[in-house]
Amino acid sequence: MGFADPVDYIVVSFEGDYAMLRKADEPDAQLIQVAIALLPDGATDGSRVRRVMLDYTLL
């Protein structure tokens, strides 16, 4: 899987200026930390987002 391939995540929580995301298809995957500024407006706990390169869109 390359960097430009789409990956779906679930927003698990927000911690300060960062959101903690988990791969949607891997419930036991390690959380990744992403700057809130990169997420689309309206993203909340439980939101599904898709990353293509560094562009996140709300699903």
Side-chain angles (χ1 to χ4, degrees), residues 11-21 32-36 39:
V11 179
V12 175
S13 64
F14 291 91
E15 299 177 10
D17 292 334
Y18 296 91
M20 304 304 291
L21 282 69
I32 65 162
Q33 190 175 34
V34 174
I36 292 172
L39 296 179

Side-chain angles (χ1 to χ4, degrees), residues 4-59:
D5 294 333
V7 180
D8 292 350
Y9 293 97
I10 296 173
V11 179
V12 175
S13 64
F14 291 91
E15 299 177 10
D17 292 334
Y18 296 91
M20 304 304 291
L21 282 69
R22 178 177 289 121
K23 283 187 176 183
D25 61 348
E26 295 179 29
D28 295 329
Q30 186 173 4
L31 297 178
I32 65 162
Q33 190 175 34
V34 174
I36 292 172
L38 294 175
L39 296 179
D41 289 340
T44 60
D45 290 353
S47 293
R48 291 179 63 100
V49 294
R50 177 169 289 152
R51 186 203 77 209
V52 178
M53 299 190 77
L54 285 178
D55 184 31
Y56 289 85
T57 55
L58 198 56
L59 298 178

